[in-house]
């Protein structure tokens, strides 16, 4: 008892709150699509049947069902979820739907709803609330939990500090394995994803780690200092979430410690949070190319959806007007040779597709950390080579088709030359635009496609019609 008491006061820090989101075997099973079944039950008024069906689903499955339902059905389903499960379901919903639900609750209701959630998940939810309401929710929490959540909220959500969970187990290097095991057995459960415990100094500076497997199979009289591993440096608390995900991928980590500038242990990041980062990054890249937000509600009302899309459509309209102005400069040439208007879209379209291929490759490389100053020049030369080879091939094809179609050798040369020019320009734009935008701290996935389309359309029209003007006028 004396040994444990010393251990408690001096060396081991275990969070007072157990993790709410533990792995559930049911969640590992393939989820059946209950949407049609549930909607039919709602339409028939069989709410008791709907409630029983919801109880059979894991919390992630319920969240998926809510996201897959129109607003009216979603409201009914939310009312039928058990109160004890609402917080768990809420953390799986996208930010747009979270905001809709939270906007209808007061601070006390939010505090009750989120009680027992992991600190990082709770911090994510609080960021969706107005500052005044979030402050009231924090005031309703006990001092220990409030301090943990506030420590996470002080960091940007897209950094290691925003991802970390403060629930960690730490030990001192001088303790024996027997003492550590004795302390761990006093707890009903450990924080989720606990695969290792961290070795720290008296002032919480990270020294190393002790895998649980080593702890279980080694001699109990051995000290932590003899077996601890020093091969893992802490993740800086300000590191970008994307780079954290890359480290987890490269090293196959289940969890990793987060430290401040002085090397003091602040918390840990677990693989489930990294999976969320990877998923969000993928959705962001896909949706951004259309000017959409990955957190947008699929079933948002018409007015709200139209308002969100209007800006991006306006930007695209401006780029289309610019390309049309290029065409307008050659109106006399188009009047003289009508065939130019028929063939003109081919050049712009081929340039757009070729540029998109390069753009997608470079954006992906930047996201994965594969592309940097050391290899960007090599990549550019490679893309120019590819563009030249494809340009020669398809210029010959379209030139031959044009010659057969119009029996005009000059026109076939013009479109072949314009194709070559636009494909090479597309390769340059597709490779350099993402690098330039990234250097300017502008999301390449968001702005790259619009900028590329403007370049390929304008250069395509300019080269094709400009060459035609030289030949025919």
């Amino acid at each position: 008892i004396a040994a444990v008491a010393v251990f408690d006061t001096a060396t081991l820090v275990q969070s007072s709150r157990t993790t709410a989101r533990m792995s559930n075997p049911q969640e590992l099973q393939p989820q059946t699509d209950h949407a049609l079944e549930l909607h039919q039950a709602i339409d028939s008024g069989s709410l008791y049947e709907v409630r029983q069906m919801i109880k059979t689903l894991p919390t992630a499955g319920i969240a998926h069902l809510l996201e897959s339902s129109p607003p009216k059905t979603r409201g009914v389903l939310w009312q039928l979820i058990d109160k004890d499960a609402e917080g768990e379901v809420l953390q799986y919903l996208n930010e747009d739907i979270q905001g809709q639900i939270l906007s209808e609750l007061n601070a006390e209701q939010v505090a009750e709803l989120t009680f027992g959630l992991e600190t990082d998940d709770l911090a994510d939810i609080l960021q969706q609330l107005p500052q005044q309401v979030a402050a009231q929710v924090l005031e309703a929490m006990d001092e220990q939990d409030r301090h943990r959540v506030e420590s996470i909220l002080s960091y940007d959500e897209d950094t290691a500090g925003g991802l970390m969970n403060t629930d960690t187990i730490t030990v001192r290097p001088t303790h024996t394995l027997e003492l550590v095991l004795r302390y761990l057995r006093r707890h009903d459960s450990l924080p989720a994803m606990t695969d290792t415990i961290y070795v720290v100094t008296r002032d919480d500076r990270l020294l190393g780690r002790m895998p649980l497997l080593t702890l279980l199979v080694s001699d109990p009289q051995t000290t932590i200092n003899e077996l601890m591993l020093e091969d893992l440096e802490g993740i800086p608390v300000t590191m970008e979430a994307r780079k954290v995900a890359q480290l987890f991928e490269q090293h196959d980590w289940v969890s990793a410690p987060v430290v401040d500038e002085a090397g003091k242990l602040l918390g840990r990041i677990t693989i489930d949070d990294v999976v969320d980062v990877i998923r969000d990054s993928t959705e962001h890249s896909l949706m951004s190319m259309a000017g959409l937000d990955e957190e947008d509600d699929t079933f948002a009302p018409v007015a709200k959806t139209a308002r969100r899309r209007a800006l991006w459509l306006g930007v695209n309209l401006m780029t289309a007007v610019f390309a049309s102005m290029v065409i307008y400069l050659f109106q006399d040439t188009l009047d003289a040779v009508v065939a130019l208007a028929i063939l003109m879209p081919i050049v712009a379209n081929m340039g757009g597709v070729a540029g998109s291929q390069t753009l997608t490759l470079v954006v992906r490389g930047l996201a994965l950390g594969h592309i940097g100053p050391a290899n960007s020049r090599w990549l550019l030369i490679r893309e120019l080579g590819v563009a030249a080879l494809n340009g020669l091939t398809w210029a010959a094809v379209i030139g031959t088709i044009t010659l057969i179609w119009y029996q005009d050798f000059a026109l076939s040369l013009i479109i072949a030359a314009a194709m070559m020019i636009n494909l090479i320009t597309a390769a340059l734009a597709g490779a350099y635009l993402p690098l330039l935008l990234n250097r300017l701290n502008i999301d390449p996935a968001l702005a790259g496609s619009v900028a590329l389309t403007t370049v390929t359309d304008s250069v395509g029209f300019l080269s094709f019609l400009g060459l035609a003007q030289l030949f025919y006028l």
Side-chain angles (χ1 to χ4, degrees):
I1 296 176
V4 173
V6 172
F7 190 82
D8 281 345
T9 56
T11 61
L12 185 62
V13 178
Q14 162 75 30
S15 71
S16 61
R17 177 175 53 79
T18 58
T19 304
R21 186 169 62 185
M22 302 294 287
S23 58
N24 185 343
Q26 186 180 8
E27 296 181 7
L28 301 179
Q29 300 300 322
Q31 295 182 12
T32 306
D33 185 8
H34 295 278
L36 180 60
E37 220 177 317
L38 283 167
H39 293 166
Q40 290 174 343
I42 291 174
D43 292 339
S44 65
S46 305
L47 297 185
Y48 175 78
E49 180 183 349
V50 174
R51 185 189 296 272
Q52 295 305 116
M53 293 173 66
I54 290 176
K55 287 182 177 180
T56 65
L57 296 175
T59 50
I62 298 173
H64 176 75
L65 183 63
L66 288 171
E67 292 180 343
S68 306
S69 302
K72 184 178 179 180
T73 303
R74 185 182 296 155
V76 174
L77 291 174
W78 180 257
Q79 296 299 323
L80 297 176
I81 298 173
D82 289 342
K83 294 297 181 183
D84 294 339
E86 286 181 346
E88 283 286 304
V89 173
L90 187 67
Q91 67 180 328
Y92 287 107
L93 296 173
N94 67 44
E95 292 181 4
D96 201 358
I97 300 179
Q98 277 185 5
Q100 295 172 22
I101 293 174
L102 293 172
S103 64
E104 300 176 0
L105 305 176
N106 58 39
E108 292 182 359
Q109 291 172 322
V110 174
E112 182 180 356
L113 181 69
T114 56
F115 178 77
L117 295 184
E118 292 184 8
T119 50
D120 55 339
D121 294 323
L122 180 54
D124 290 339
I125 291 173
L126 291 182
Q127 288 172 341
Q128 310 306 315
L129 296 172
Q131 187 174 359
Q132 183 179 0
V133 178
Q136 292 174 354
V137 174
L138 288 171
E139 284 298 323
M141 301 169 60
D142 63 61
E143 184 178 355
Q144 188 178 39
D145 284 345
R146 180 169 61 251
H147 177 71
R148 288 174 177 152
V149 175
E150 287 176 340
S151 67
I152 295 178
L153 289 174
S154 64
Y155 301 105
D156 188 282
E157 62 178 331
D158 292 325
T159 63
L163 289 177
M164 72 177 181
N165 193 320
T166 56
D167 291 345
T168 58
I169 303 175
T170 63
V171 296
R172 298 278 175 79
T174 55
H175 289 102
T176 64
L177 303 189
E178 181 182 9
L179 191 58
V180 176
L181 289 169
R182 188 184 307 168
Y183 181 81
L184 294 179
R185 293 191 188 103
R186 294 177 55 190
H187 296 82
D188 296 330
S189 62
L190 300 179
M193 304 290 175
T194 299
D195 63 321
T196 187
I197 56 180
Y198 300 112
V199 186
V200 298
T201 61
R202 190 173 295 275
D203 59 352
D204 289 330
R205 187 171 58 83
L206 182 66
L207 295 177
R209 65 186 180 94
M210 170 62 68
L212 286 184
L213 179 61
T214 304
L215 179 66
L216 293 173
V217 301
S218 302
D219 183 357
Q221 301 306 316
T222 308
T223 63
I224 294 292
N225 189 50
E226 296 177 68
L227 297 177
M228 73 174 187
L229 302 178
E230 302 178 42
D231 58 343
L232 180 63
E233 294 185 5
I235 296 176
V237 69
T238 56
M239 178 179 285
E240 294 180 7
R242 177 174 56 86
K243 294 182 179 179
V244 173
Q246 291 172 3
L247 287 176
F248 268 76
E249 179 186 8
Q250 294 168 5
H251 299 285
D252 292 329
W253 290 337
V254 174
S255 65
V258 178
V259 297
D260 62 12
E261 295 179 354
K264 181 179 179 180
L265 181 66
L266 300 177
R268 68 190 181 108
I269 297 174
T270 53
I271 187 62
D272 57 325
D273 296 313
V274 174
V275 169
D276 290 340
V277 172
I278 296 172
R279 182 198 62 197
D280 292 343
S281 177
T282 302
E283 291 180 354
H284 174 74
S285 297
L286 177 64
M287 300 290 279
S288 292
M289 291 183 178
L292 300 176
D293 190 336
E294 68 273 16
E295 295 294 345
D296 282 352
D297 179 8
T298 305
F299 296 95
V302 172
K304 185 177 182 180
T305 303
R307 185 171 63 253
R308 287 179 170 177
R309 297 184 187 181
L311 177 61
W312 199 245
L313 290 173
V315 172
N316 279 273
L317 177 61
M318 293 300 101
T319 62
V321 168
F322 181 80
S324 297
M325 290 172 62
V326 175
I327 299 174
Y328 177 76
L329 296 175
F330 300 95
Q331 186 173 359
D332 294 339
T333 307
L334 286 169
D335 290 339
V337 186
V338 178
L340 295 175
I342 299 173
L343 298 173
M344 185 171 58
I346 297 175
V347 178
N349 184 62
M350 287 293 288
V353 172
S356 295
Q357 291 175 334
T358 304
L359 178 76
T360 303
L361 178 72
V362 175
V363 169
R364 174 181 177 271
L366 288 172
L368 296 175
H370 293 169
I371 298 177
N375 55 20
S376 58
R377 180 181 176 85
W378 183 94
L379 182 64
L380 174 62
I381 295 173
R382 195 279 302 272
E383 288 302 312
L384 286 175
V386 172
L389 184 59
N390 278 328
L392 287 171
T393 302
W394 296 111
V397 171
I398 191 60
T400 303
I401 293 174
T402 303
L403 182 61
I404 296 172
W405 194 353
Y406 290 101
Q407 301 296 312
D408 189 332
F409 184 72
L411 183 59
S412 65
L413 287 179
I414 290 170
I415 193 171
M419 181 82 74
M420 276 291 300
I421 292 171
N422 205 22
L423 286 180
I424 292 175
T425 301
L428 283 169
Y432 264 134
L433 276 175
L435 296 174
L436 176 61
L437 292 170
N438 190 59
R439 187 171 299 176
L440 296 174
N441 293 321
I442 300 174
D443 186 359
L446 177 61
S449 58
V450 174
L452 176 67
T453 300
T454 304
V455 170
T456 54
D457 284 357
S458 302
V459 171
F461 295 146
L462 184 62
S463 59
F464 184 51
L465 297 177
L467 290 170
Q469 184 169 330
L470 290 176
F471 272 84
Y472 291 108
L473 296 180

